[in-house]
Amino acid sequence: LLLVQNKMYRILYVIILCQFAVWGFYYVTFGPFLQALYHLDAAEFGTLSALIEGFANSIAILSLYFFKTERVILSGAMIQVVTLLALTLITNCGAFSLLLSAQYQIVMYVQVFLFFVGNEAVIVGVMIF
Protein backbone atom coordinates (compact mmCIF):
# COMPACT_ATOMS: atom_id res chain seq x y z
CA LEU A 1 0.00 0.00 0.00
CA LEU A 2 2.81 2.38 0.80
CA LEU A 3 4.57 1.53 -2.45
CA VAL A 4 1.75 3.01 -4.52
CA GLN A 5 2.74 6.53 -5.54
CA ASN A 6 -0.67 7.67 -6.77
CA LYS A 7 -2.70 9.14 -3.90
CA MET A 8 -6.01 8.22 -5.53
CA TYR A 9 -5.04 4.55 -5.74
CA ARG A 10 -3.94 4.55 -2.10
CA ILE A 11 -7.33 5.94 -1.09
CA LEU A 12 -9.13 3.37 -3.23
CA TYR A 13 -7.13 0.51 -1.71
CA VAL A 14 -7.90 1.68 1.81
CA ILE A 15 -11.61 2.02 1.00
CA ILE A 16 -11.76 -1.46 -0.50
CA LEU A 17 -9.89 -2.97 2.46
CA CYS A 18 -12.27 -1.29 4.89
CA GLN A 19 -15.29 -2.46 2.92
CA PHE A 20 -14.13 -6.07 2.91
CA ALA A 21 -13.58 -5.84 6.66
CA VAL A 22 -17.11 -4.52 7.13
CA TRP A 23 -18.48 -7.21 4.81
CA GLY A 24 -16.68 -9.84 6.87
CA PHE A 25 -18.28 -8.40 10.01
CA TYR A 26 -21.65 -9.71 8.86
CA TYR A 27 -20.58 -13.24 8.06
CA VAL A 28 -18.21 -13.72 11.00
CA THR A 29 -20.02 -12.07 13.91
CA PHE A 30 -23.43 -10.60 13.19
CA GLY A 31 -24.68 -13.36 10.89
CA PRO A 32 -24.11 -16.14 13.44
CA PHE A 33 -25.71 -13.89 16.08
CA LEU A 34 -28.87 -13.63 13.95
CA GLN A 35 -28.76 -17.34 13.20
CA ALA A 36 -28.70 -18.20 16.91
CA LEU A 37 -31.19 -15.47 17.88
CA TYR A 38 -33.89 -16.61 15.44
CA HIS A 39 -33.03 -20.34 15.65
CA LEU A 40 -32.20 -20.66 11.95
CA ASP A 41 -30.39 -23.70 10.64
CA ALA A 42 -27.51 -23.29 8.21
CA ALA A 43 -29.72 -23.74 5.13
CA GLU A 44 -32.29 -21.15 6.24
CA PHE A 45 -29.61 -18.66 7.20
CA GLY A 46 -27.71 -19.21 3.95
CA THR A 47 -30.86 -18.78 1.87
CA LEU A 48 -31.89 -15.59 3.68
CA SER A 49 -28.39 -14.14 3.46
CA ALA A 50 -28.09 -14.98 -0.23
CA LEU A 51 -31.46 -13.43 -1.06
CA ILE A 52 -30.84 -10.31 1.02
CA GLU A 53 -27.35 -9.79 -0.36
CA GLY A 54 -28.39 -10.58 -3.93
CA PHE A 55 -31.25 -8.10 -3.99
CA ALA A 56 -29.15 -5.46 -2.25
CA ASN A 57 -26.32 -5.92 -4.75
CA SER A 58 -28.74 -5.62 -7.65
CA ILE A 59 -30.20 -2.37 -6.34
CA ALA A 60 -26.76 -0.91 -5.68
CA ILE A 61 -25.47 -1.81 -9.14
CA LEU A 62 -28.61 -0.45 -10.82
CA SER A 63 -28.26 2.80 -8.88
CA LEU A 64 -24.66 3.05 -10.09
CA TYR A 65 -25.92 2.63 -13.64
CA PHE A 66 -28.62 5.31 -13.37
CA PHE A 67 -26.99 7.90 -11.11
CA LYS A 68 -23.61 9.61 -10.79
CA THR A 69 -21.00 7.29 -9.33
CA GLU A 70 -19.70 9.80 -6.78
CA ARG A 71 -23.17 10.36 -5.31
CA VAL A 72 -23.88 6.65 -5.10
CA ILE A 73 -20.56 6.01 -3.34
CA LEU A 74 -21.26 8.77 -0.83
CA SER A 75 -24.85 7.63 -0.32
CA GLY A 76 -23.72 4.04 0.12
CA ALA A 77 -21.18 5.04 2.74
CA MET A 78 -23.79 7.06 4.63
CA ILE A 79 -26.27 4.16 4.46
CA GLN A 80 -23.63 1.84 5.87
CA VAL A 81 -22.80 4.15 8.75
CA VAL A 82 -26.47 4.65 9.63
CA THR A 83 -27.28 0.93 9.50
CA LEU A 84 -24.24 0.00 11.57
CA LEU A 85 -25.25 2.60 14.17
CA ALA A 86 -28.82 1.30 14.15
CA LEU A 87 -27.66 -2.31 14.51
CA THR A 88 -25.37 -1.29 17.36
CA LEU A 89 -28.21 0.50 19.13
CA ILE A 90 -30.64 -2.38 18.63
CA THR A 91 -28.22 -5.00 19.91
CA ASN A 92 -26.65 -3.02 22.78
CA CYS A 93 -29.25 -0.54 24.03
CA GLY A 94 -32.00 -1.83 26.29
CA ALA A 95 -34.58 0.60 24.90
CA PHE A 96 -34.27 -0.96 21.45
CA SER A 97 -33.90 -4.61 22.51
CA LEU A 98 -37.59 -5.18 21.76
CA LEU A 99 -36.64 -5.10 18.06
CA LEU A 100 -34.63 -8.29 18.57
CA SER A 101 -37.75 -10.34 19.30
CA ALA A 102 -38.95 -12.83 16.71
CA GLN A 103 -41.97 -10.73 15.73
CA TYR A 104 -39.66 -7.92 14.56
CA GLN A 105 -37.26 -10.08 12.52
CA ILE A 106 -38.10 -8.04 9.44
CA VAL A 107 -36.55 -4.94 11.06
CA MET A 108 -33.24 -6.75 11.41
CA TYR A 109 -33.40 -8.11 7.88
CA VAL A 110 -34.16 -4.66 6.47
CA GLN A 111 -31.14 -3.31 8.37
CA VAL A 112 -28.95 -6.06 6.89
CA PHE A 113 -30.41 -5.38 3.43
CA LEU A 114 -29.58 -1.67 3.68
CA PHE A 115 -26.12 -2.53 5.00
CA PHE A 116 -25.45 -4.62 1.89
CA VAL A 117 -26.87 -1.95 -0.44
CA GLY A 118 -24.41 0.54 1.02
CA ASN A 119 -21.54 -1.92 0.99
CA GLU A 120 -22.01 -2.90 -2.65
CA ALA A 121 -22.55 0.71 -3.75
CA VAL A 122 -19.24 1.71 -2.22
CA ILE A 123 -17.21 -1.28 -3.43
CA VAL A 124 -18.47 -1.35 -7.01
CA GLY A 125 -18.62 2.44 -7.21
CA VAL A 126 -14.99 2.73 -6.17
CA MET A 127 -14.01 0.12 -8.76
CA ILE A 128 -15.86 2.05 -11.48
CA PHE A 129 -14.62 5.45 -10.32
Side-chain angles (χ1 to χ4, degrees):
L1 189 62
L2 297 175
L3 299 176
V4 177
Q5 299 300 319
N6 188 325
K7 183 179 179 182
M8 182 66 169
Y9 284 121
R10 276 188 280 178
I11 292 170
L12 292 176
Y13 288 142
V14 169
I15 289 171
I16 290 173
L17 287 173
C18 289
Q19 291 302 310
F20 281 119
V22 169
W23 181 74
F25 153 80
Y26 174 74
Y27 285 103
V28 174
T29 58
F30 194 71
F33 168 76
L34 284 179
Q35 186 177 3
L37 181 67
Y38 298 127
H39 308 293
L40 302 172
D41 62 21
E44 290 173 322
F45 176 71
T47 302
L48 280 171
S49 293
L51 287 172
I52 289 170
E53 189 175 0
F55 283 122
N57 291 350
S58 300
I59 288 173
I61 290 170
L62 284 173
S63 66
L64 284 164
Y65 178 75
F66 288 110
F67 303 107
K68 289 186 175 185
T69 304
E70 299 88 3
R71 288 186 183 192
V72 175
I73 292 171
L74 182 60
S75 299
M78 291 186 327
I79 289 170
Q80 264 193 310
V81 168
V82 169
T83 55
L84 285 176
L85 288 174
L87 289 171
T88 302
L89 281 174
I90 290 169
T91 56
N92 295 309
C93 185
F96 296 103
S97 63
L98 171 68
L99 295 173
L100 291 173
S101 64
Q103 66 189 23
Y104 294 111
Q105 282 184 34
I106 190 70
V107 172
M108 297 305 287
Y109 295 136
V110 166
Q111 292 293 320
V112 171
F113 172 78
L114 291 172
F115 168 80
F116 278 123
V117 167
N119 188 51
E120 189 69 15
V122 172
I123 288 177
V124 175
V126 165
M127 289 183 201
I128 292 171
F129 189 67

